Amino acid sequence: MRRPILAANWKMHKTGAEATAFAKAFLPLVADAGEVDIVLAPPFTGLVPLAQTLGGSRVALAAQNVNPEEKGAFTGEIAPSMLVEIGCTYGIVGHSERRALYGETDDFVARKAAALLAHGILPIVCVGETLEEREAERAFDVIGAQLRGSLAAVPDERASEVVIAYEPVWAIGTGRTATPEIAQEVHAFVRKQLAQRFGAAAEAMRIQYGGSVKPDNVDTLMAQPDIDGALVGGASLDPEQFARIAKFESSGE
Ligand code: 13P
């Protein structure tokens, strides 16, 4: 069985003090959550304060980005070893905002994912089509190419450590969630692609859905057979909302 993974991507929200206040409110709310992994991805400046507040708790820490190099003249960048030092368990790579706003390519995303794995951090690799691509019936081509490119450097024996996040760009921050049927259709496609690349290990790989996940739609999304978690933006900024998402219906069974 795949262990569900509910992750908060705070994007460029919350100072260190705000992150700490969130964690203090959030931890008691998820103390009785089921057999799920719960992850918070604050901005870089929130990682250290959160590591202190979350230390020893059931909630894991993720970075929103990483540079694949070990060290060097890369102004403004953060190396994998720096994330290890703070205690990050996960790292998000290839988010559509980074692909669209900062020109990140599949090749660069692939190097990031491999660098994280090399340092023992589990990559959350994001893929997803734009509205224009969906309307042109190119969604599966686009997602297939992103998966092939972004996972190109993942060693076969490490496949089960990789988390995929399917985030249709048209559903991010728009309040327009993919229906559970559309999401399941894509997730099944993603798993098939993973099976072609990694064989039987694909069954153990977790695939999150992301895009306007809220307390009132998480249950039906999580009920789909190939949806193994959620990557949540807006609704994850509020401790009560994100706690409800982490405690989706059937998570306690
Ligand atoms: P929203 O939940 O705000 O739509 O954001 C989704 C997302 O991009 C998570 O990475």
Side-chain angles (χ1 to χ4, degrees):
M1 265 311 282
R2 297 181 292 267
R3 187 175 161 96
I5 172 167
L6 294 304
N9 175 11
W10 285 351
K11 309 189 180 184
M12 200 168 74
H13 294 284
K14 295 194 191 292
T15 62
E18 288 165 346
T20 300
F22 177 102
K24 284 186 177 157
F26 181 67
L27 283 175
L29 298 175
V30 292
D32 63 344
E35 294 289 312
V36 300
D37 288 331
I38 305 173
V39 182
L40 300 181
F44 284 123
T45 55
L47 286 171
V48 170
L50 265 192
Q52 284 161 0
T53 319
L54 299 178
S57 80
R58 63 169 300 162
V59 178
L61 204 52
Q64 294 179 17
N65 189 21
V66 68
N67 187 284
E69 301 293 338
E70 293 288 322
K71 61 171 78 165
F74 303 102
T75 301
E77 295 291 284
I78 304 281
S81 60
M82 299 168 186
L83 302 178
V84 171
E85 181 183 47
I86 295 171
C88 286
T89 307
Y90 298 89
I92 299 171
V93 295
H95 193 281
S96 62
E97 286 150 16
R98 295 215 58 87
R99 291 176 185 268
L101 301 173
Y102 304 102
E104 294 199 1
T105 61
D106 287 330
D107 179 56
F108 196 32
V109 175
R111 289 175 54 217
K112 292 175 184 222
L116 287 176
L117 282 172
H119 286 82
I121 296 178
L122 312 185
I124 297 176
V125 180
C126 305
V127 298
E129 81 285 4
T130 63
L131 183 60
E132 195 185 13
E133 289 161 345
R134 173 156 286 270
E135 286 178 344
E137 301 191 349
R138 291 181 49 228
F140 292 104
D141 289 346
V142 167
I143 297 162
Q146 287 174 335
L147 287 170
R148 279 190 300 279
S150 304
L151 301 176
V154 172
D156 285 0
E157 68 278 11
R158 305 291 301 275
S160 64
E161 296 168 61
V162 177
V163 178
I164 307 296
Y166 167 57
E167 299 204 305
V169 176
W170 46 271
I172 294 177
T174 57
R176 184 179 165 188
T177 325
T179 62
E181 293 73 24
I182 289 178
Q184 167 56 27
E185 183 187 29
V186 176
H187 281 232
F189 168 80
V190 170
R191 198 170 309 283
K192 213 192 254 176
Q193 299 290 112
L194 296 175
Q196 280 175 13
R197 170 73 166 75
F198 298 113
E203 277 306 306
M205 294 177 73
R206 297 180 293 180
I207 309 173
Q208 296 176 304
Y209 169 78
S212 298
V213 175
K214 310 279 180 217
D216 66 5
N217 60 26
V218 66
D219 298 338
T220 47
L221 287 162
M222 290 302 292
Q224 303 301 314
D226 287 294
I227 299 185
D228 309 313
L231 184 57
V232 188
S236 75
L237 297 171
D238 177 77
E240 283 176 6
Q241 286 196 42
F242 189 52
R244 170 62 184 85
I245 289 169
K247 298 202 276 191
F248 64 92
E249 201 176 290
S250 85
S251 59
E253 285 169 10

